[in-house]
Amino acid sequence: MSDKLLQYINNPTDLRKLETTQLPQLAKELRDFIIDVVAVKEGHLGASLGVIELTIALHYVFNTPEDLLVWDVGHQAYGHKILTERKDKFHTNRQLGGVSGFPKRSESNYDTFGVGHSSTSISAALGMAIASQLKGENKHHIAVIGDASIASGMAFEGLNHAGVTDANLLVILNDNAIGIDPSVGALKQYLTSVKEGKNPKQNNMIKSLNFDYSGPIDGHDLPKLISELDRLKKIKGPKFLHIITTKGKGLQQAEEDQVKYHAPGKFDKTTGEILPKSEENLPLKFQDVFGWTLVELAAANKKIIGITPAMPSGSSLKYMMDAFPERAFDVGIAEQHAVTLSAGMATQGMVVFCNIYSTFLQRAYDQLIHDVALQNLPVIFCLDRAGLVGEDGATHHGVFDLAYLRCIPNLIIYAPKDEIDLRNILYTASLGLNHPIAIRYPRGRGKYPNSEVQILKKPFEKIEIGKAHLLKSGNQTAVLSTGFIGKNVTLAFEKISNATAAHYDFGFVKPLDENLLHEIFTSFETIITLEDGAVKGGFGIVIIEFAAQNMYTNKIQTLGVPDSFIEHGTIEELQKICGIDVDALVRILS
């Protein structure tokens, strides 16, 4: 062998041929490999750098893929992917047709469970362990979960069940005091006390749940990790290993600024410095329009509350947390709690803005129905990352919200067509509504250059609930769009000489502007609907239902995300796959 080790490691079988004394060198090479690729291709960085030693130790000690390894969320699985037959393809990570950014069963038999949302690993691994028992198999089942994820209710449900079984389950707590943003809550404080030796083991809460607890140990000490994993292999029943790691380990800037280097974009692999992107004349991000607008509204109204489940930076609620810390709450990875907490505050007259990514609100569907809508509490749900989100792929696309929300009684649903509309609907909702409202807006930037001046300084205007608007006159064909995807229609018209179709913005999917719909159906032969959500059950189906109920026989064409899970790629590439990009609309409307 040459001095380099990683070039000879294609799978865990190759890894196990190494001497333990060679593993620290492999760890350094694996870190450098990830840094080299992510610096150029972008992606998640800090989480995977923090578990390099753990990744090597797990595949070295356990007989993967026969022994089943489940990574929670998956941000930390880059090293795992490289060591499990995807090293030569890793440069395609998160690109169209390339390696997924998260563990994915269809991609590799080493990816035992598909993940992307947090706190699922314990339940999944326990299910595997019980199934192995029933089949008479002698396998190990390992769940790797972070300290931010284990605070979620689902993780505790898994622990609660596992503790009364004799399943061969090992839960590894990767304790680094941070998820995407710093971990919060009493459990975080408890784990910190354990690390500092202030909680004697006889009072250990994990031991109280009938787990064989060990740790905390240094998660970067390979010999110690291997020794402890070897020991735990011989112990039957549920086991719990607490390890301490540093997110971003091995890259100084990533260790020092763990939030920024969670997914830093392109950076200099030698210095670690993030490569600057020119933002001159670029529109504001929708999340920042939300964040700064909420600060402005909260300054004028002391009843305004902001709540987010573990995404203060990603949602820009951080601005309100900095300005009004007593009225802005990061509740950790606890979407169900966030929704019902909002409901409780709303019963007391507070004006609650509950900011949750569209894909994560799926995790609190019962609370949305039972605790908010059923009681008609005017909680303001701000659904960031609605629509196709790009490189995070199928687990993160916010394409189901229109379909799963519109069947809920009492709920207003609104999708702003641009940043101005977002500001104005936030203002309108802050004045008081008689119902809860879901405001969905996309990941990324709006459409107005120099928007900090044009948008944030623009006076508020109250939006009339349920009102749709004509954007462009036309004949024969009417295009009805909802939300920011309507921009593609405008851009398509610019490419069509003498475009004859009309264009309407239906920001409100519920309630519908039925008066305008009657005008449209009596004036146009063909109706085309456009949305960046699931076409099954979404906005287009709303229009078809209206037509059927009123016995209109116009031709209706629905455009949106097809009835399949859309994988990862740029938003532009994915819109093309779905047939909702500008060029597709030009072909349809010409």
Side-chain angles (χ1 to χ4, degrees), residues 547-586:
Q549 289 163 2
N550 292 278
M551 295 192 293
Y552 288 117
T553 58
N554 310 56
K555 179 183 176 182
I556 302 175
Q557 181 178 3
T558 58
L559 302 177
V561 176
D563 190 24
S564 61
F565 288 104
I566 305 300
E567 299 298 342
H568 50 281
T570 66
I571 292 176
E572 292 75 17
E573 289 170 334
L574 301 183
Q575 286 184 355
K576 186 173 182 180
I577 288 171
C578 296
I580 56 176
D581 60 307
V582 173
D583 289 341
L585 294 173
V586 169

mmCIF file of all heavy atoms in Angstrom, residues 547-586:
data_model
loop_
_atom_site.group_PDB
_atom_site.id
_atom_site.type_symbol
_atom_site.label_atom_id
_atom_site.label_comp_id
_atom_site.label_asym_id
_atom_site.label_seq_id
_atom_site.Cartn_x
_atom_site.Cartn_y
_atom_site.Cartn_z
ATOM 1 N N ALA A 547 -65.478 23.836 -10.982
ATOM 2 C CA ALA A 547 -66.126 23.668 -12.282
ATOM 3 C C ALA A 547 -67.210 22.596 -12.216
ATOM 4 O O ALA A 547 -68.319 22.781 -12.741
ATOM 5 C CB ALA A 547 -65.080 23.309 -13.338
ATOM 6 N N ALA A 548 -66.904 21.482 -11.565
ATOM 7 C CA ALA A 548 -67.871 20.382 -11.478
ATOM 8 C C ALA A 548 -69.106 20.801 -10.694
ATOM 9 O O ALA A 548 -70.247 20.488 -11.084
ATOM 10 C CB ALA A 548 -67.215 19.168 -10.827
ATOM 11 N N GLN A 549 -68.886 21.504 -9.575
ATOM 12 C CA GLN A 549 -70.006 21.916 -8.734
ATOM 13 C C GLN A 549 -70.919 22.901 -9.449
ATOM 14 O O GLN A 549 -72.124 22.958 -9.179
ATOM 15 C CB GLN A 549 -69.475 22.521 -7.434
ATOM 16 C CG GLN A 549 -68.844 21.499 -6.500
ATOM 17 C CD GLN A 549 -67.965 22.153 -5.435
ATOM 18 O OE1 GLN A 549 -67.844 23.375 -5.372
ATOM 19 N NE2 GLN A 549 -67.357 21.327 -4.592
ATOM 20 N N ASN A 550 -70.323 23.670 -10.364
ATOM 21 C CA ASN A 550 -71.111 24.673 -11.085
ATOM 22 C C ASN A 550 -71.411 24.257 -12.525
ATOM 23 O O ASN A 550 -71.887 25.069 -13.315
ATOM 24 C CB ASN A 550 -70.373 26.014 -11.062
ATOM 25 C CG ASN A 550 -70.309 26.613 -9.672
ATOM 26 O OD1 ASN A 550 -71.261 27.242 -9.223
ATOM 27 N ND2 ASN A 550 -69.191 26.407 -8.981
ATOM 28 N N MET A 551 -71.118 22.996 -12.844
ATOM 29 C CA MET A 551 -71.445 22.385 -14.138
ATOM 30 C C MET A 551 -70.829 23.135 -15.323
ATOM 31 O O MET A 551 -71.426 23.238 -16.395
ATOM 32 C CB MET A 551 -72.957 22.228 -14.301
ATOM 33 C CG MET A 551 -73.516 21.245 -13.292
ATOM 34 S SD MET A 551 -75.215 20.736 -13.593
ATOM 35 C CE MET A 551 -76.107 22.250 -13.322
ATOM 36 N N TYR A 552 -69.617 23.656 -15.120
ATOM 37 C CA TYR A 552 -68.867 24.220 -16.241
ATOM 38 C C TYR A 552 -68.158 23.088 -16.977
ATOM 39 O O TYR A 552 -67.681 22.125 -16.360
ATOM 40 C CB TYR A 552 -67.830 25.228 -15.743
ATOM 41 C CG TYR A 552 -68.417 26.527 -15.239
ATOM 42 C CD1 TYR A 552 -68.261 26.908 -13.909
ATOM 43 C CD2 TYR A 552 -69.096 27.386 -16.106
ATOM 44 C CE1 TYR A 552 -68.788 28.098 -13.440
ATOM 45 C CE2 TYR A 552 -69.625 28.591 -15.642
ATOM 46 C CZ TYR A 552 -69.461 28.936 -14.304
ATOM 47 O OH TYR A 552 -69.984 30.115 -13.849
ATOM 48 N N THR A 553 -68.075 23.200 -18.286
ATOM 49 C CA THR A 553 -67.450 22.149 -19.094
ATOM 50 C C THR A 553 -66.214 22.652 -19.835
ATOM 51 O O THR A 553 -65.767 22.029 -20.807
ATOM 52 C CB THR A 553 -68.461 21.589 -20.104
ATOM 53 O OG1 THR A 553 -68.941 22.665 -20.938
ATOM 54 C CG2 THR A 553 -69.616 20.904 -19.398
ATOM 55 N N ASN A 554 -65.647 23.738 -19.393
ATOM 56 C CA ASN A 554 -64.426 24.263 -20.016
ATOM 57 C C ASN A 554 -63.312 23.214 -19.945
ATOM 58 O O ASN A 554 -63.271 22.371 -19.045
ATOM 59 C CB ASN A 554 -63.954 25.528 -19.293
ATOM 60 C CG ASN A 554 -65.048 26.545 -19.112
ATOM 61 O OD1 ASN A 554 -66.081 26.241 -18.532
ATOM 62 N ND2 ASN A 554 -64.816 27.766 -19.566
ATOM 63 N N LYS A 555 -62.386 23.292 -20.879
ATOM 64 C CA LYS A 555 -61.196 22.446 -20.822
ATOM 65 C C LYS A 555 -60.281 22.979 -19.715
ATOM 66 O O LYS A 555 -59.967 24.176 -19.680
ATOM 67 C CB LYS A 555 -60.461 22.463 -22.159
ATOM 68 C CG LYS A 555 -59.189 21.618 -22.151
ATOM 69 C CD LYS A 555 -58.441 21.717 -23.470
ATOM 70 C CE LYS A 555 -57.127 20.942 -23.412
ATOM 71 N NZ LYS A 555 -56.336 21.059 -24.663
ATOM 72 N N ILE A 556 -59.861 22.100 -18.802
ATOM 73 C CA ILE A 556 -58.992 22.506 -17.687
ATOM 74 C C ILE A 556 -57.717 21.665 -17.719
ATOM 75 O O ILE A 556 -57.784 20.427 -17.733
ATOM 76 C CB ILE A 556 -59.690 22.334 -16.329
ATOM 77 C CG1 ILE A 556 -60.985 23.146 -16.275
ATOM 78 C CG2 ILE A 556 -58.752 22.744 -15.186
ATOM 79 C CD1 ILE A 556 -61.793 22.931 -15.014
ATOM 80 N N GLN A 557 -56.582 22.324 -17.727
ATOM 81 C CA GLN A 557 -55.276 21.651 -17.687
ATOM 82 C C GLN A 557 -54.566 22.031 -16.392
ATOM 83 O O GLN A 557 -54.423 23.227 -16.098
ATOM 84 C CB GLN A 557 -54.415 22.044 -18.886
ATOM 85 C CG GLN A 557 -53.056 21.359 -18.925
ATOM 86 C CD GLN A 557 -52.247 21.734 -20.156
ATOM 87 O OE1 GLN A 557 -52.676 22.559 -20.977
ATOM 88 N NE2 GLN A 557 -51.073 21.152 -20.301
ATOM 89 N N THR A 558 -54.167 21.039 -15.608
ATOM 90 C CA THR A 558 -53.509 21.316 -14.329
ATOM 91 C C THR A 558 -52.014 21.058 -14.453
ATOM 92 O O THR A 558 -51.582 19.979 -14.864
ATOM 93 C CB THR A 558 -54.092 20.438 -13.211
ATOM 94 O OG1 THR A 558 -53.936 19.065 -13.545
ATOM 95 C CG2 THR A 558 -55.564 20.735 -12.991
ATOM 96 N N LEU A 559 -51.229 22.069 -14.078
ATOM 97 C CA LEU A 559 -49.769 21.966 -14.093
ATOM 98 C C LEU A 559 -49.248 22.075 -12.665
ATOM 99 O O LEU A 559 -49.676 22.940 -11.903
ATOM 100 C CB LEU A 559 -49.161 23.083 -14.936
ATOM 101 C CG LEU A 559 -49.616 23.168 -16.402
ATOM 102 C CD1 LEU A 559 -48.973 24.387 -17.062
ATOM 103 C CD2 LEU A 559 -49.270 21.894 -17.157
ATOM 104 N N GLY A 560 -48.334 21.188 -12.316
ATOM 105 C CA GLY A 560 -47.758 21.203 -10.976
ATOM 106 C C GLY A 560 -46.792 20.051 -10.809
ATOM 107 O O GLY A 560 -46.277 19.497 -11.790
ATOM 108 N N VAL A 561 -46.540 19.679 -9.586
ATOM 109 C CA VAL A 561 -45.623 18.577 -9.293
ATOM 110 C C VAL A 561 -46.378 17.268 -9.492
ATOM 111 O O VAL A 561 -47.432 17.064 -8.890
ATOM 112 C CB VAL A 561 -45.091 18.684 -7.852
ATOM 113 C CG1 VAL A 561 -44.202 17.488 -7.516
ATOM 114 C CG2 VAL A 561 -44.310 19.996 -7.677
ATOM 115 N N PRO A 562 -45.880 16.369 -10.344
ATOM 116 C CA PRO A 562 -46.607 15.128 -10.642
ATOM 117 C C PRO A 562 -46.694 14.198 -9.435
ATOM 118 O O PRO A 562 -46.074 14.433 -8.393
ATOM 119 C CB PRO A 562 -45.786 14.498 -11.769
ATOM 120 C CG PRO A 562 -44.422 15.079 -11.621
ATOM 121 C CD PRO A 562 -44.616 16.463 -11.077
ATOM 122 N N ASP A 563 -47.469 13.138 -9.606
ATOM 123 C CA ASP A 563 -47.747 12.198 -8.516
ATOM 124 C C ASP A 563 -46.572 11.235 -8.316
ATOM 125 O O ASP A 563 -46.691 10.026 -8.499
ATOM 126 C CB ASP A 563 -49.035 11.428 -8.827
ATOM 127 C CG ASP A 563 -49.505 10.609 -7.639
ATOM 128 O OD1 ASP A 563 -49.148 10.952 -6.497
ATOM 129 O OD2 ASP A 563 -50.223 9.609 -7.862
ATOM 130 N N SER A 564 -45.437 11.787 -7.962
ATOM 131 C CA SER A 564 -44.236 10.999 -7.671
ATOM 132 C C SER A 564 -43.346 11.838 -6.764
ATOM 133 O O SER A 564 -43.521 13.054 -6.668
ATOM 134 C CB SER A 564 -43.489 10.636 -8.965
ATOM 135 O OG SER A 564 -43.071 11.805 -9.654
ATOM 136 N N PHE A 565 -42.408 11.175 -6.107
ATOM 137 C CA PHE A 565 -41.476 11.907 -5.257
ATOM 138 C C PHE A 565 -40.348 12.452 -6.132
ATOM 139 O O PHE A 565 -39.653 11.690 -6.810
ATOM 140 C CB PHE A 565 -40.919 11.017 -4.145
ATOM 141 C CG PHE A 565 -41.930 10.708 -3.075
ATOM 142 C CD1 PHE A 565 -42.541 9.468 -3.011
ATOM 143 C CD2 PHE A 565 -42.273 11.672 -2.138
ATOM 144 C CE1 PHE A 565 -43.485 9.186 -2.030
ATOM 145 C CE2 PHE A 565 -43.216 11.402 -1.156
ATOM 146 C CZ PHE A 565 -43.825 10.155 -1.098
ATOM 147 N N ILE A 566 -40.179 13.758 -6.114
ATOM 148 C CA ILE A 566 -39.164 14.411 -6.933
ATOM 149 C C ILE A 566 -37.833 14.393 -6.177
ATOM 150 O O ILE A 566 -37.772 14.765 -5.010
ATOM 151 C CB ILE A 566 -39.582 15.860 -7.256
ATOM 152 C CG1 ILE A 566 -40.968 15.868 -7.921
ATOM 153 C CG2 ILE A 566 -38.545 16.531 -8.155
ATOM 154 C CD1 ILE A 566 -41.061 15.096 -9.209
ATOM 155 N N GLU A 567 -36.787 13.964 -6.851
ATOM 156 C CA GLU A 567 -35.487 13.834 -6.200
ATOM 157 C C GLU A 567 -34.753 15.177 -6.154
ATOM 158 O O GLU A 567 -35.361 16.224 -6.296
ATOM 159 C CB GLU A 567 -34.666 12.759 -6.919
ATOM 160 C CG GLU A 567 -35.323 11.383 -6.891
ATOM 161 C CD GLU A 567 -35.515 10.828 -5.491
ATOM 162 O OE1 GLU A 567 -34.854 11.307 -4.550
ATOM 163 O OE2 GLU A 567 -36.338 9.910 -5.317
ATOM 164 N N HIS A 568 -33.442 15.134 -5.970
ATOM 165 C CA HIS A 568 -32.663 16.345 -5.756
ATOM 166 C C HIS A 568 -32.086 16.879 -7.072
ATOM 167 O O HIS A 568 -31.865 16.146 -8.022
ATOM 168 C CB HIS A 568 -31.529 16.073 -4.764
ATOM 169 C CG HIS A 568 -30.720 14.851 -5.104
ATOM 170 N ND1 HIS A 568 -31.165 13.575 -4.825
ATOM 171 C CD2 HIS A 568 -29.521 14.692 -5.707
ATOM 172 C CE1 HIS A 568 -30.276 12.695 -5.236
ATOM 173 N NE2 HIS A 568 -29.260 13.351 -5.779
ATOM 174 N N GLY A 569 -31.853 18.169 -7.079
ATOM 175 C CA GLY A 569 -31.316 18.899 -8.219
ATOM 176 C C GLY A 569 -31.560 20.372 -7.971
ATOM 177 O O GLY A 569 -32.122 20.746 -6.938
ATOM 178 N N THR A 570 -31.153 21.217 -8.879
ATOM 179 C CA THR A 570 -31.460 22.636 -8.709
ATOM 180 C C THR A 570 -32.958 22.843 -8.896
ATOM 181 O O THR A 570 -33.640 22.031 -9.545
ATOM 182 C CB THR A 570 -30.707 23.505 -9.730
ATOM 183 O OG1 THR A 570 -31.192 23.205 -11.043
ATOM 184 C CG2 THR A 570 -29.198 23.240 -9.678
ATOM 185 N N ILE A 571 -33.470 23.925 -8.353
ATOM 186 C CA ILE A 571 -34.898 24.214 -8.513
ATOM 187 C C ILE A 571 -35.252 24.335 -9.991
ATOM 188 O O ILE A 571 -36.308 23.845 -10.432
ATOM 189 C CB ILE A 571 -35.279 25.490 -7.737
ATOM 190 C CG1 ILE A 571 -35.171 25.227 -6.223
ATOM 191 C CG2 ILE A 571 -36.689 25.947 -8.102
ATOM 192 C CD1 ILE A 571 -35.418 26.429 -5.363
ATOM 193 N N GLU A 572 -34.368 24.945 -10.774
ATOM 194 C CA GLU A 572 -34.628 25.093 -12.206
ATOM 195 C C GLU A 572 -34.714 23.727 -12.889
ATOM 196 O O GLU A 572 -35.596 23.488 -13.727
ATOM 197 C CB GLU A 572 -33.525 25.937 -12.852
ATOM 198 C CG GLU A 572 -33.512 27.403 -12.432
ATOM 199 C CD GLU A 572 -32.960 27.613 -11.018
ATOM 200 O OE1 GLU A 572 -32.297 26.681 -10.482
ATOM 201 O OE2 GLU A 572 -33.193 28.691 -10.447
ATOM 202 N N GLU A 573 -33.803 22.814 -12.530
ATOM 203 C CA GLU A 573 -33.834 21.472 -13.122
ATOM 204 C C GLU A 573 -35.101 20.722 -12.732
ATOM 205 O O GLU A 573 -35.709 20.027 -13.557
ATOM 206 C CB GLU A 573 -32.600 20.680 -12.663
ATOM 207 C CG GLU A 573 -31.292 21.166 -13.267
ATOM 208 C CD GLU A 573 -30.079 20.534 -12.616
ATOM 209 O OE1 GLU A 573 -30.169 20.123 -11.431
ATOM 210 O OE2 GLU A 573 -29.020 20.468 -13.279
ATOM 211 N N LEU A 574 -35.508 20.870 -11.489
ATOM 212 C CA LEU A 574 -36.677 20.142 -11.013
ATOM 213 C C LEU A 574 -37.971 20.711 -11.598
ATOM 214 O O LEU A 574 -38.908 19.966 -11.899
ATOM 215 C CB LEU A 574 -36.716 20.154 -9.485
ATOM 216 C CG LEU A 574 -35.488 19.543 -8.800
ATOM 217 C CD1 LEU A 574 -35.671 19.545 -7.292
ATOM 218 C CD2 LEU A 574 -35.212 18.137 -9.298
ATOM 219 N N GLN A 575 -38.025 22.033 -11.756
ATOM 220 C CA GLN A 575 -39.193 22.619 -12.426
ATOM 221 C C GLN A 575 -39.302 22.099 -13.859
ATOM 222 O O GLN A 575 -40.415 21.833 -14.346
ATOM 223 C CB GLN A 575 -39.100 24.148 -12.428
ATOM 224 C CG GLN A 575 -39.375 24.784 -11.074
ATOM 225 C CD GLN A 575 -39.375 26.300 -11.135
ATOM 226 O OE1 GLN A 575 -39.086 26.897 -12.170
ATOM 227 N NE2 GLN A 575 -39.700 26.939 -10.024
ATOM 228 N N LYS A 576 -38.180 21.917 -14.512
ATOM 229 C CA LYS A 576 -38.194 21.388 -15.875
ATOM 230 C C LYS A 576 -38.731 19.964 -15.888
ATOM 231 O O LYS A 576 -39.542 19.596 -16.751
ATOM 232 C CB LYS A 576 -36.785 21.437 -16.466
ATOM 233 C CG LYS A 576 -36.711 21.037 -17.929
ATOM 234 C CD LYS A 576 -35.321 21.261 -18.495
ATOM 235 C CE LYS A 576 -35.270 20.914 -19.980
ATOM 236 N NZ LYS A 576 -33.912 21.140 -20.549
ATOM 237 N N ILE A 577 -38.291 19.143 -14.935
ATOM 238 C CA ILE A 577 -38.782 17.764 -14.830
ATOM 239 C C ILE A 577 -40.298 17.750 -14.633
ATOM 240 O O ILE A 577 -41.010 16.909 -15.186
ATOM 241 C CB ILE A 577 -38.071 17.035 -13.672
ATOM 242 C CG1 ILE A 577 -36.615 16.745 -14.046
ATOM 243 C CG2 ILE A 577 -38.789 15.742 -13.298
ATOM 244 C CD1 ILE A 577 -35.779 16.225 -12.898
ATOM 245 N N CYS A 578 -40.791 18.707 -13.853
ATOM 246 C CA CYS A 578 -42.234 18.783 -13.564
ATOM 247 C C CYS A 578 -43.035 19.470 -14.656
ATOM 248 O O CYS A 578 -44.277 19.493 -14.600
ATOM 249 C CB CYS A 578 -42.456 19.516 -12.235
ATOM 250 S SG CYS A 578 -41.772 18.663 -10.793
ATOM 251 N N GLY A 579 -42.345 20.064 -15.635
ATOM 252 C CA GLY A 579 -43.051 20.756 -16.715
ATOM 253 C C GLY A 579 -43.665 22.069 -16.302
ATOM 254 O O GLY A 579 -44.685 22.495 -16.872
ATOM 255 N N ILE A 580 -43.046 22.738 -15.308
ATOM 256 C CA ILE A 580 -43.586 24.025 -14.854
ATOM 257 C C ILE A 580 -42.536 25.138 -14.965
ATOM 258 O O ILE A 580 -42.670 26.184 -14.353
ATOM 259 C CB ILE A 580 -44.127 23.938 -13.405
ATOM 260 C CG1 ILE A 580 -43.044 23.436 -12.434
ATOM 261 C CG2 ILE A 580 -45.347 23.020 -13.346
ATOM 262 C CD1 ILE A 580 -43.490 23.421 -10.984
ATOM 263 N N ASP A 581 -41.504 24.884 -15.749
ATOM 264 C CA ASP A 581 -40.471 25.892 -15.977
ATOM 265 C C ASP A 581 -40.930 26.859 -17.070
ATOM 266 O O ASP A 581 -41.955 26.645 -17.741
ATOM 267 C CB ASP A 581 -39.157 25.228 -16.370
ATOM 268 C CG ASP A 581 -39.288 24.409 -17.655
ATOM 269 O OD1 ASP A 581 -40.190 23.548 -17.718
ATOM 270 O OD2 ASP A 581 -38.530 24.654 -18.611
ATOM 271 N N VAL A 582 -40.179 27.904 -17.266
ATOM 272 C CA VAL A 582 -40.569 28.953 -18.218
ATOM 273 C C VAL A 582 -40.683 28.391 -19.629
ATOM 274 O O VAL A 582 -41.659 28.660 -20.357
ATOM 275 C CB VAL A 582 -39.566 30.122 -18.168
ATOM 276 C CG1 VAL A 582 -39.878 31.138 -19.274
ATOM 277 C CG2 VAL A 582 -39.594 30.799 -16.805
ATOM 278 N N ASP A 583 -39.712 27.598 -20.069
ATOM 279 C CA ASP A 583 -39.731 27.077 -21.440
ATOM 280 C C ASP A 583 -40.947 26.178 -21.671
ATOM 281 O O ASP A 583 -41.542 26.193 -22.758
ATOM 282 C CB ASP A 583 -38.440 26.311 -21.732
ATOM 283 C CG ASP A 583 -37.237 27.233 -21.839
ATOM 284 O OD1 ASP A 583 -37.437 28.443 -22.047
ATOM 285 O OD2 ASP A 583 -36.091 26.748 -21.707
ATOM 286 N N ALA A 584 -41.295 25.370 -20.669
ATOM 287 C CA ALA A 584 -42.477 24.515 -20.804
ATOM 288 C C ALA A 584 -43.737 25.362 -20.955
ATOM 289 O O ALA A 584 -44.619 25.049 -21.774
ATOM 290 C CB ALA A 584 -42.604 23.589 -19.595
ATOM 291 N N LEU A 585 -43.809 26.451 -20.199
ATOM 292 C CA LEU A 585 -44.984 27.323 -20.293
ATOM 293 C C LEU A 585 -45.032 28.040 -21.637
ATOM 294 O O LEU A 585 -46.121 28.268 -22.188
ATOM 295 C CB LEU A 585 -44.968 28.331 -19.147
ATOM 296 C CG LEU A 585 -45.148 27.728 -17.744
ATOM 297 C CD1 LEU A 585 -44.949 28.788 -16.672
ATOM 298 C CD2 LEU A 585 -46.533 27.101 -17.609
ATOM 299 N N VAL A 586 -43.865 28.391 -22.174
ATOM 300 C CA VAL A 586 -43.833 29.002 -23.511
ATOM 301 C C VAL A 586 -44.432 28.045 -24.537
ATOM 302 O O VAL A 586 -45.244 28.440 -25.383
ATOM 303 C CB VAL A 586 -42.382 29.374 -23.897
ATOM 304 C CG1 VAL A 586 -42.305 29.751 -25.378
ATOM 305 C CG2 VAL A 586 -41.884 30.535 -23.037
#
